[in-house]
Amino acid sequence: MPFNEQKKILKKIDQFCLEQNLPVGKIEFRDIPFSGEWGIAAPLFPLAAADPNRVGPVPQHAQALAEKLKEEISLPAGFSRVEAVRGYLNLYFETSQYANKVIDYVHYADHCYGMAEPTGKTVMVEYSNPNTHKPLHVGHLRNVILGSSVCNILEANGDKVIRANYIGDIGLHVIKWMCNYEMYHAGQEPSADIMRWMADLYTEADRRFHDDPDFEEACRVYFSRWDEGDKDIEALWLKTRQWSMDGFKQVYDLLGAKFDRVYFESDVEESGKVLVEDLLARGLAEDGRPENPVIIDLDKLLGTKEEYRVAVILRSDGTSLYATKELPLAIMKFEEYPLDQSIYVIDVRQSLHMKQMSKVLELMGYDWAKQIYHLAYEIVNLPGNVIMSSRDGTVVLLDDLIREATDRALSIVKEKNPDLNPESQHEVAEMVAIGAIKYPMISRENTKIVTFDWESALDFNGQSAPYIQYACVRANSILKRAGVSTEYGQMPSVSFAYELDAAEVNLIELIARLPMELGKAAKEYKPSQIATYAYDLAKAFNDFYNQCPVLNAEDEKRTARLALTNAARITIENALHLLGIKAPQVM
Ligand code: ARG
């Protein structure tokens, strides 16, 4: 935990380094896990390795430096001892003082506890990226949930985050939908459940397209009219596209996903074609038209073998492709915002595409191409190993899934808490349902396949959101029964001047870890880090709850344990917030 003491020591060390002509900024402290006392440790190997005056091997030199530093900093206030061992500088806190500090700090920072100072970095995270006129289905779920959690994590870690959505609003799927609409549903308006209505029409259009050659032909004619800029079609397109956007918004609201900037594929189609001409003029692309497409043979240009392969950037008939639009989109992003990093949350099957696009941009001379990062994730399996794709009409729509989760959660809540009024039961059920869906999507490593099943998602005793949420509810209920206010600034500073129980030590240890866990999750874009941590923390709280009497403890212990309970509640809530999961008061 980054206490002031630590900062002061680092300052002192920097000063020492300057005086000794050693490089500054090579020292970093990490927490030493509790083993009778808490402490922080800094390895001196990086400093030793970078010391221009080093004689002898790095480990010995690191040890010599550790000893020197030990003399230099003597015993700073708040610590019980300092040691130099095997190339490390270790500082130990006085136990009760440390416990005290952690809990006070959590209360002081409250819902900001764990969050880092601004980094000054601007990061764009593009996620969700659905196609209009098609539904958001279970196959899109992981992207939205992962993307918004990564945004929360980066933001909490101090970055300025721009949440972007890149919508596929043109192409054959849109033409099919509109052509079918005009032929069979002209004048109809979407029902309240926009997504379902749009999806049903899409399935119908797609079926006709495959089964009915006349319809296929009609679509072709429709496509040419569209290409020629038919005004009626354009008007219908704008209107129906908005219907889709309204439908997406309903689901985003349920899931708590937000966007600062929406890009449409149609925004970058023309600029993409212009860019292709530019690539041809520079000799980067090869023109195979009219028989063949325009390509960039990256392996040939780079002298690599089967690494970057060939990127196809324009069809032989001059119409645009997915890749045609990718390049101007990337440029637009960097022109619009001072980005230090441009992250794309896209499934792992598009890895080669993203790798090619970054390389092309690099070859075009854009230095920022290296700041593009493809955050790849794996698919979600439903029970029975159904891989979700939007092909047939059997896909599970996102709102259906949320509805089913809410129904299931509601029956559990009713059973657990029959006295709760129906309105609150429903509110709680929704929080539990959304949490239950979200947690499995982010608790697995991004690049591992998720297998979703209701039993584990809603298992109140397993590694699930409801289990973590329930720990918060327990904490709330203890605090309520004790009559302790959880409002900001109401918790007095307490002393832990008694021998701490093992469960207390473990809980304090976990509470103190949030800032470090956040830092790690942000660095590696891994919400799974926080998901696991939130579970460990909730588990540590439940162990404490089962092993350490709170309400029946005597005076000082009682006060201290209540403060610990509240600090645990705050920390769990903050961790859940990073995952986009809400913590109910009751359950
Ligand atoms: N809309 C595309 C699809 O459904 C995904 C877009 C991903 N983003 C990107 N910049 N290529 O496959």
Side-chain angles (χ1 to χ4, degrees), residues 126 128-131 134 140 143 166-169 265 322 325-326 329 333 344-347 350 353-354:
E126 182 209 284
S128 187
N129 311 329
N131 299 323
K134 284 187 179 184
H140 292 109
N143 189 317
Y166 178 48
I167 311 270
D169 63 338
E265 283 191 22
Y322 189 49
K325 293 164 273 183
E326 202 71 76
L329 173 71
K333 288 177 174 180
Y344 292 66
V345 183
I346 313 178
D347 90 62
Q350 292 193 25
H353 164 78
M354 287 310 293

PDB file of all heavy atoms in Angstrom, residues 126 128-131 134 140 143 166-169 265 322 325-326 329 333 344-347 350 353-354, ligand 1:
ATOM      1  N   GLU A 126     -11.805   0.865 -27.882  1.00  0.00           N
ATOM      2  CA  GLU A 126     -12.916   0.590 -28.780  1.00  0.00           C
ATOM      3  C   GLU A 126     -13.472  -0.773 -28.415  1.00  0.00           C
ATOM      4  O   GLU A 126     -12.749  -1.762 -28.398  1.00  0.00           O
ATOM      5  CB  GLU A 126     -12.402   0.587 -30.228  1.00  0.00           C
ATOM      6  CG  GLU A 126     -13.502   0.345 -31.236  1.00  0.00           C
ATOM      7  CD  GLU A 126     -12.999  -0.342 -32.496  1.00  0.00           C
ATOM      8  OE1 GLU A 126     -12.366   0.305 -33.334  1.00  0.00           O
ATOM      9  OE2 GLU A 126     -13.263  -1.557 -32.613  1.00  0.00           O
ATOM     10  N   SER A 128     -17.377  -3.328 -28.048  1.00  0.00           N
ATOM     11  CA  SER A 128     -18.746  -3.665 -28.440  1.00  0.00           C
ATOM     12  C   SER A 128     -18.837  -3.865 -29.955  1.00  0.00           C
ATOM     13  O   SER A 128     -18.982  -4.973 -30.421  1.00  0.00           O
ATOM     14  CB  SER A 128     -19.785  -2.659 -27.956  1.00  0.00           C
ATOM     15  OG  SER A 128     -21.075  -3.192 -28.253  1.00  0.00           O
ATOM     16  N   ASN A 129     -18.793  -2.758 -30.744  1.00  0.00           N
ATOM     17  CA  ASN A 129     -18.689  -2.866 -32.205  1.00  0.00           C
ATOM     18  C   ASN A 129     -19.705  -3.777 -32.891  1.00  0.00           C
ATOM     19  O   ASN A 129     -19.331  -4.623 -33.708  1.00  0.00           O
ATOM     20  CB  ASN A 129     -17.293  -3.369 -32.597  1.00  0.00           C
ATOM     21  CG  ASN A 129     -16.210  -2.614 -31.914  1.00  0.00           C
ATOM     22  OD1 ASN A 129     -16.369  -1.443 -31.618  1.00  0.00           O
ATOM     23  ND2 ASN A 129     -15.113  -3.273 -31.642  1.00  0.00           N
ATOM     24  N   PRO A 130     -20.967  -3.633 -32.582  1.00  0.00           N
ATOM     25  CA  PRO A 130     -21.943  -4.504 -33.242  1.00  0.00           C
ATOM     26  C   PRO A 130     -22.267  -4.013 -34.655  1.00  0.00           C
ATOM     27  O   PRO A 130     -21.833  -2.933 -35.054  1.00  0.00           O
ATOM     28  CB  PRO A 130     -23.182  -4.354 -32.360  1.00  0.00           C
ATOM     29  CG  PRO A 130     -23.080  -2.966 -31.816  1.00  0.00           C
ATOM     30  CD  PRO A 130     -21.606  -2.678 -31.675  1.00  0.00           C
ATOM     31  N   ASN A 131     -23.016  -4.830 -35.366  1.00  0.00           N
ATOM     32  CA  ASN A 131     -23.493  -4.445 -36.690  1.00  0.00           C
ATOM     33  C   ASN A 131     -24.967  -4.080 -36.589  1.00  0.00           C
ATOM     34  O   ASN A 131     -25.742  -4.811 -35.958  1.00  0.00           O
ATOM     35  CB  ASN A 131     -23.292  -5.595 -37.668  1.00  0.00           C
ATOM     36  CG  ASN A 131     -21.811  -5.951 -37.807  1.00  0.00           C
ATOM     37  OD1 ASN A 131     -20.950  -5.075 -37.783  1.00  0.00           O
ATOM     38  ND2 ASN A 131     -21.525  -7.230 -37.925  1.00  0.00           N
ATOM     39  N   LYS A 134     -28.791  -6.101 -37.028  1.00  0.00           N
ATOM     40  CA  LYS A 134     -28.648  -7.432 -36.458  1.00  0.00           C
ATOM     41  C   LYS A 134     -28.760  -7.251 -34.941  1.00  0.00           C
ATOM     42  O   LYS A 134     -28.547  -6.153 -34.433  1.00  0.00           O
ATOM     43  CB  LYS A 134     -27.258  -8.002 -36.768  1.00  0.00           C
ATOM     44  CG  LYS A 134     -27.060  -8.498 -38.176  1.00  0.00           C
ATOM     45  CD  LYS A 134     -25.692  -9.163 -38.201  1.00  0.00           C
ATOM     46  CE  LYS A 134     -25.350  -9.743 -39.535  1.00  0.00           C
ATOM     47  NZ  LYS A 134     -24.065 -10.455 -39.467  1.00  0.00           N
ATOM     48  N   HIS A 140     -21.887 -11.425 -28.346  1.00  0.00           N
ATOM     49  CA  HIS A 140     -21.340 -10.078 -28.153  1.00  0.00           C
ATOM     50  C   HIS A 140     -21.071  -9.761 -26.690  1.00  0.00           C
ATOM     51  O   HIS A 140     -20.504  -8.729 -26.357  1.00  0.00           O
ATOM     52  CB  HIS A 140     -22.324  -9.019 -28.670  1.00  0.00           C
ATOM     53  CG  HIS A 140     -22.510  -9.029 -30.145  1.00  0.00           C
ATOM     54  ND1 HIS A 140     -23.675  -9.465 -30.738  1.00  0.00           N
ATOM     55  CD2 HIS A 140     -21.683  -8.675 -31.165  1.00  0.00           C
ATOM     56  CE1 HIS A 140     -23.573  -9.340 -32.054  1.00  0.00           C
ATOM     57  NE2 HIS A 140     -22.366  -8.883 -32.341  1.00  0.00           N
ATOM     58  N   ASN A 143     -17.452  -9.247 -25.130  1.00  0.00           N
ATOM     59  CA  ASN A 143     -16.812  -8.030 -25.596  1.00  0.00           C
ATOM     60  C   ASN A 143     -17.282  -6.818 -24.791  1.00  0.00           C
ATOM     61  O   ASN A 143     -16.469  -6.036 -24.293  1.00  0.00           O
ATOM     62  CB  ASN A 143     -17.132  -7.841 -27.085  1.00  0.00           C
ATOM     63  CG  ASN A 143     -16.329  -6.705 -27.699  1.00  0.00           C
ATOM     64  OD1 ASN A 143     -16.188  -5.654 -27.094  1.00  0.00           O
ATOM     65  ND2 ASN A 143     -15.793  -6.929 -28.881  1.00  0.00           N
ATOM     66  N   TYR A 166     -17.475   1.123 -32.599  1.00  0.00           N
ATOM     67  CA  TYR A 166     -17.347   1.167 -34.062  1.00  0.00           C
ATOM     68  C   TYR A 166     -18.438   0.279 -34.648  1.00  0.00           C
ATOM     69  O   TYR A 166     -18.390  -0.943 -34.535  1.00  0.00           O
ATOM     70  CB  TYR A 166     -15.951   0.669 -34.441  1.00  0.00           C
ATOM     71  CG  TYR A 166     -15.665   0.595 -35.924  1.00  0.00           C
ATOM     72  CD1 TYR A 166     -15.953   1.659 -36.779  1.00  0.00           C
ATOM     73  CD2 TYR A 166     -15.060  -0.539 -36.470  1.00  0.00           C
ATOM     74  CE1 TYR A 166     -15.664   1.582 -38.131  1.00  0.00           C
ATOM     75  CE2 TYR A 166     -14.762  -0.622 -37.827  1.00  0.00           C
ATOM     76  CZ  TYR A 166     -15.069   0.444 -38.651  1.00  0.00           C
ATOM     77  OH  TYR A 166     -14.774   0.371 -39.998  1.00  0.00           O
ATOM     78  N   ILE A 167     -19.410   0.920 -35.261  1.00  0.00           N
ATOM     79  CA  ILE A 167     -20.632   0.228 -35.653  1.00  0.00           C
ATOM     80  C   ILE A 167     -20.614  -0.149 -37.133  1.00  0.00           C
ATOM     81  O   ILE A 167     -20.389   0.705 -37.992  1.00  0.00           O
ATOM     82  CB  ILE A 167     -21.861   1.149 -35.397  1.00  0.00           C
ATOM     83  CG1 ILE A 167     -21.808   1.745 -33.992  1.00  0.00           C
ATOM     84  CG2 ILE A 167     -23.158   0.429 -35.696  1.00  0.00           C
ATOM     85  CD1 ILE A 167     -22.474   0.968 -32.918  1.00  0.00           C
ATOM     86  N   GLY A 168     -20.911  -1.403 -37.409  1.00  0.00           N
ATOM     87  CA  GLY A 168     -20.997  -1.865 -38.798  1.00  0.00           C
ATOM     88  C   GLY A 168     -22.360  -1.527 -39.368  1.00  0.00           C
ATOM     89  O   GLY A 168     -23.313  -2.277 -39.190  1.00  0.00           O
ATOM     90  N   ASP A 169     -22.464  -0.389 -40.031  1.00  0.00           N
ATOM     91  CA  ASP A 169     -23.784   0.076 -40.480  1.00  0.00           C
ATOM     92  C   ASP A 169     -23.982  -0.055 -41.984  1.00  0.00           C
ATOM     93  O   ASP A 169     -24.979   0.433 -42.514  1.00  0.00           O
ATOM     94  CB  ASP A 169     -24.002   1.534 -40.045  1.00  0.00           C
ATOM     95  CG  ASP A 169     -22.995   2.479 -40.682  1.00  0.00           C
ATOM     96  OD1 ASP A 169     -21.913   2.007 -41.098  1.00  0.00           O
ATOM     97  OD2 ASP A 169     -23.286   3.688 -40.767  1.00  0.00           O
ATOM     98  N   GLU A 265     -19.007   2.547 -39.739  1.00  0.00           N
ATOM     99  CA  GLU A 265     -18.225   2.095 -40.896  1.00  0.00           C
ATOM    100  C   GLU A 265     -18.459   3.012 -42.092  1.00  0.00           C
ATOM    101  O   GLU A 265     -17.554   3.269 -42.884  1.00  0.00           O
ATOM    102  CB  GLU A 265     -18.572   0.636 -41.257  1.00  0.00           C
ATOM    103  CG  GLU A 265     -17.922  -0.363 -40.325  1.00  0.00           C
ATOM    104  CD  GLU A 265     -18.027  -1.807 -40.824  1.00  0.00           C
ATOM    105  OE1 GLU A 265     -18.214  -2.034 -42.030  1.00  0.00           O
ATOM    106  OE2 GLU A 265     -17.906  -2.709 -39.976  1.00  0.00           O
ATOM    107  N   TYR A 322     -13.642  -4.903 -45.243  1.00  0.00           N
ATOM    108  CA  TYR A 322     -13.407  -4.633 -43.820  1.00  0.00           C
ATOM    109  C   TYR A 322     -12.101  -3.860 -43.620  1.00  0.00           C
ATOM    110  O   TYR A 322     -12.052  -2.842 -42.930  1.00  0.00           O
ATOM    111  CB  TYR A 322     -13.357  -5.994 -43.121  1.00  0.00           C
ATOM    112  CG  TYR A 322     -13.341  -5.964 -41.623  1.00  0.00           C
ATOM    113  CD1 TYR A 322     -14.245  -5.197 -40.899  1.00  0.00           C
ATOM    114  CD2 TYR A 322     -12.424  -6.753 -40.925  1.00  0.00           C
ATOM    115  CE1 TYR A 322     -14.236  -5.208 -39.515  1.00  0.00           C
ATOM    116  CE2 TYR A 322     -12.410  -6.777 -39.551  1.00  0.00           C
ATOM    117  CZ  TYR A 322     -13.308  -5.996 -38.839  1.00  0.00           C
ATOM    118  OH  TYR A 322     -13.291  -6.020 -37.485  1.00  0.00           O
ATOM    119  N   LYS A 325     -11.657  -0.033 -44.529  1.00  0.00           N
ATOM    120  CA  LYS A 325     -12.154   0.964 -43.587  1.00  0.00           C
ATOM    121  C   LYS A 325     -11.304   1.050 -42.315  1.00  0.00           C
ATOM    122  O   LYS A 325     -11.316   2.051 -41.614  1.00  0.00           O
ATOM    123  CB  LYS A 325     -13.609   0.631 -43.229  1.00  0.00           C
ATOM    124  CG  LYS A 325     -14.537   0.793 -44.422  1.00  0.00           C
ATOM    125  CD  LYS A 325     -15.877   0.116 -44.229  1.00  0.00           C
ATOM    126  CE  LYS A 325     -15.814  -1.321 -44.660  1.00  0.00           C
ATOM    127  NZ  LYS A 325     -17.069  -2.057 -44.585  1.00  0.00           N
ATOM    128  N   GLU A 326     -10.585  -0.008 -42.040  1.00  0.00           N
ATOM    129  CA  GLU A 326      -9.786  -0.062 -40.804  1.00  0.00           C
ATOM    130  C   GLU A 326      -8.723   1.027 -40.752  1.00  0.00           C
ATOM    131  O   GLU A 326      -8.471   1.625 -39.701  1.00  0.00           O
ATOM    132  CB  GLU A 326      -9.118  -1.441 -40.708  1.00  0.00           C
ATOM    133  CG  GLU A 326      -8.710  -1.847 -39.316  1.00  0.00           C
ATOM    134  CD  GLU A 326      -9.912  -2.158 -38.439  1.00  0.00           C
ATOM    135  OE1 GLU A 326     -10.526  -3.230 -38.588  1.00  0.00           O
ATOM    136  OE2 GLU A 326     -10.236  -1.291 -37.613  1.00  0.00           O
ATOM    137  N   LEU A 329      -9.988   4.587 -40.137  1.00  0.00           N
ATOM    138  CA  LEU A 329     -10.537   4.641 -38.779  1.00  0.00           C
ATOM    139  C   LEU A 329      -9.415   4.897 -37.772  1.00  0.00           C
ATOM    140  O   LEU A 329      -9.524   5.779 -36.904  1.00  0.00           O
ATOM    141  CB  LEU A 329     -11.254   3.327 -38.442  1.00  0.00           C
ATOM    142  CG  LEU A 329     -11.720   3.195 -36.988  1.00  0.00           C
ATOM    143  CD1 LEU A 329     -12.885   4.131 -36.688  1.00  0.00           C
ATOM    144  CD2 LEU A 329     -12.107   1.755 -36.644  1.00  0.00           C
ATOM    145  N   LYS A 333      -8.929   8.296 -35.379  1.00  0.00           N
ATOM    146  CA  LYS A 333      -8.836   8.245 -33.924  1.00  0.00           C
ATOM    147  C   LYS A 333      -7.662   9.078 -33.420  1.00  0.00           C
ATOM    148  O   LYS A 333      -7.807   9.864 -32.481  1.00  0.00           O
ATOM    149  CB  LYS A 333      -8.665   6.795 -33.457  1.00  0.00           C
ATOM    150  CG  LYS A 333      -9.910   5.940 -33.599  1.00  0.00           C
ATOM    151  CD  LYS A 333      -9.609   4.510 -33.188  1.00  0.00           C
ATOM    152  CE  LYS A 333     -10.870   3.653 -33.178  1.00  0.00           C
ATOM    153  NZ  LYS A 333     -10.572   2.262 -32.780  1.00  0.00           N
ATOM    154  N   TYR A 344      -8.114  -1.981 -29.113  1.00  0.00           N
ATOM    155  CA  TYR A 344      -9.242  -2.556 -29.838  1.00  0.00           C
ATOM    156  C   TYR A 344      -9.643  -3.851 -29.139  1.00  0.00           C
ATOM    157  O   TYR A 344      -8.852  -4.795 -29.109  1.00  0.00           O
ATOM    158  CB  TYR A 344      -8.846  -2.917 -31.265  1.00  0.00           C
ATOM    159  CG  TYR A 344      -8.529  -1.748 -32.179  1.00  0.00           C
ATOM    160  CD1 TYR A 344      -7.419  -0.942 -31.945  1.00  0.00           C
ATOM    161  CD2 TYR A 344      -9.317  -1.484 -33.297  1.00  0.00           C
ATOM    162  CE1 TYR A 344      -7.115   0.107 -32.795  1.00  0.00           C
ATOM    163  CE2 TYR A 344      -9.024  -0.436 -34.156  1.00  0.00           C
ATOM    164  CZ  TYR A 344      -7.923   0.360 -33.901  1.00  0.00           C
ATOM    165  OH  TYR A 344      -7.617   1.392 -34.748  1.00  0.00           O
ATOM    166  N   VAL A 345     -10.855  -3.892 -28.592  1.00  0.00           N
ATOM    167  CA  VAL A 345     -11.331  -5.143 -28.005  1.00  0.00           C
ATOM    168  C   VAL A 345     -12.048  -5.920 -29.114  1.00  0.00           C
ATOM    169  O   VAL A 345     -13.168  -5.585 -29.492  1.00  0.00           O
ATOM    170  CB  VAL A 345     -12.295  -4.874 -26.821  1.00  0.00           C
ATOM    171  CG1 VAL A 345     -12.725  -6.190 -26.179  1.00  0.00           C
ATOM    172  CG2 VAL A 345     -11.641  -3.965 -25.799  1.00  0.00           C
ATOM    173  N   ILE A 346     -11.357  -6.878 -29.668  1.00  0.00           N
ATOM    174  CA  ILE A 346     -11.915  -7.664 -30.770  1.00  0.00           C
ATOM    175  C   ILE A 346     -11.525  -9.122 -30.563  1.00  0.00           C
ATOM    176  O   ILE A 346     -10.445  -9.400 -30.035  1.00  0.00           O
ATOM    177  CB  ILE A 346     -11.364  -7.221 -32.150  1.00  0.00           C
ATOM    178  CG1 ILE A 346     -11.394  -5.697 -32.298  1.00  0.00           C
ATOM    179  CG2 ILE A 346     -12.156  -7.865 -33.283  1.00  0.00           C
ATOM    180  CD1 ILE A 346     -10.830  -5.210 -33.616  1.00  0.00           C
ATOM    181  N   ASP A 347     -12.377 -10.021 -31.008  1.00  0.00           N
ATOM    182  CA  ASP A 347     -12.097 -11.413 -30.688  1.00  0.00           C
ATOM    183  C   ASP A 347     -10.841 -11.920 -31.383  1.00  0.00           C
ATOM    184  O   ASP A 347     -10.369 -11.369 -32.367  1.00  0.00           O
ATOM    185  CB  ASP A 347     -13.337 -12.303 -30.854  1.00  0.00           C
ATOM    186  CG  ASP A 347     -13.487 -12.902 -32.229  1.00  0.00           C
ATOM    187  OD1 ASP A 347     -12.607 -13.669 -32.637  1.00  0.00           O
ATOM    188  OD2 ASP A 347     -14.505 -12.594 -32.879  1.00  0.00           O
ATOM    189  N   GLN A 350      -9.526 -12.266 -35.065  1.00  0.00           N
ATOM    190  CA  GLN A 350      -9.111 -11.162 -35.927  1.00  0.00           C
ATOM    191  C   GLN A 350      -7.672 -10.722 -35.664  1.00  0.00           C
ATOM    192  O   GLN A 350      -7.270  -9.622 -36.045  1.00  0.00           O
ATOM    193  CB  GLN A 350     -10.088  -9.999 -35.762  1.00  0.00           C
ATOM    194  CG  GLN A 350     -11.458 -10.343 -36.317  1.00  0.00           C
ATOM    195  CD  GLN A 350     -12.346  -9.129 -36.462  1.00  0.00           C
ATOM    196  OE1 GLN A 350     -11.868  -8.006 -36.606  1.00  0.00           O
ATOM    197  NE2 GLN A 350     -13.647  -9.340 -36.427  1.00  0.00           N
ATOM    198  N   HIS A 353      -5.631  -9.952 -38.868  1.00  0.00           N
ATOM    199  CA  HIS A 353      -6.132  -8.701 -39.455  1.00  0.00           C
ATOM    200  C   HIS A 353      -5.549  -7.490 -38.714  1.00  0.00           C
ATOM    201  O   HIS A 353      -5.031  -6.561 -39.335  1.00  0.00           O
ATOM    202  CB  HIS A 353      -7.668  -8.693 -39.402  1.00  0.00           C
ATOM    203  CG  HIS A 353      -8.296  -7.355 -39.621  1.00  0.00           C
ATOM    204  ND1 HIS A 353      -8.423  -6.790 -40.866  1.00  0.00           N
ATOM    205  CD2 HIS A 353      -8.812  -6.460 -38.738  1.00  0.00           C
ATOM    206  CE1 HIS A 353      -9.007  -5.603 -40.750  1.00  0.00           C
ATOM    207  NE2 HIS A 353      -9.249  -5.378 -39.471  1.00  0.00           N
ATOM    208  N   MET A 354      -5.615  -7.522 -37.385  1.00  0.00           N
ATOM    209  CA  MET A 354      -5.130  -6.386 -36.607  1.00  0.00           C
ATOM    210  C   MET A 354      -3.621  -6.218 -36.727  1.00  0.00           C
ATOM    211  O   MET A 354      -3.106  -5.103 -36.780  1.00  0.00           O
ATOM    212  CB  MET A 354      -5.539  -6.536 -35.133  1.00  0.00           C
ATOM    213  CG  MET A 354      -7.013  -6.296 -34.872  1.00  0.00           C
ATOM    214  SD  MET A 354      -7.642  -4.751 -35.587  1.00  0.00           S
ATOM    215  CE  MET A 354      -6.764  -3.533 -34.597  1.00  0.00           C
TER     216      MET A 354
HETATM  217  N1  ARG B   1     -18.299  -4.924 -36.521  1.00  0.00           N
HETATM  218  C1  ARG B   1     -17.255  -5.886 -36.657  1.00  0.00           C
HETATM  219  C2  ARG B   1     -17.824  -7.314 -36.556  1.00  0.00           C
HETATM  220  O1  ARG B   1     -18.942  -7.489 -36.131  1.00  0.00           O
HETATM  221  C3  ARG B   1     -16.196  -5.731 -35.593  1.00  0.00           C
HETATM  222  C4  ARG B   1     -15.414  -4.451 -35.658  1.00  0.00           C
HETATM  223  C5  ARG B   1     -14.196  -4.508 -34.829  1.00  0.00           C
HETATM  224  N2  ARG B   1     -13.459  -3.274 -34.827  1.00  0.00           N
HETATM  225  C6  ARG B   1     -12.575  -2.948 -35.744  1.00  0.00           C
HETATM  226  N3  ARG B   1     -12.003  -1.772 -35.627  1.00  0.00           N
HETATM  227  N4  ARG B   1     -12.254  -3.724 -36.711  1.00  0.00           N
HETATM  228  O2  ARG B   1     -17.116  -8.254 -36.882  1.00  0.00           O
END
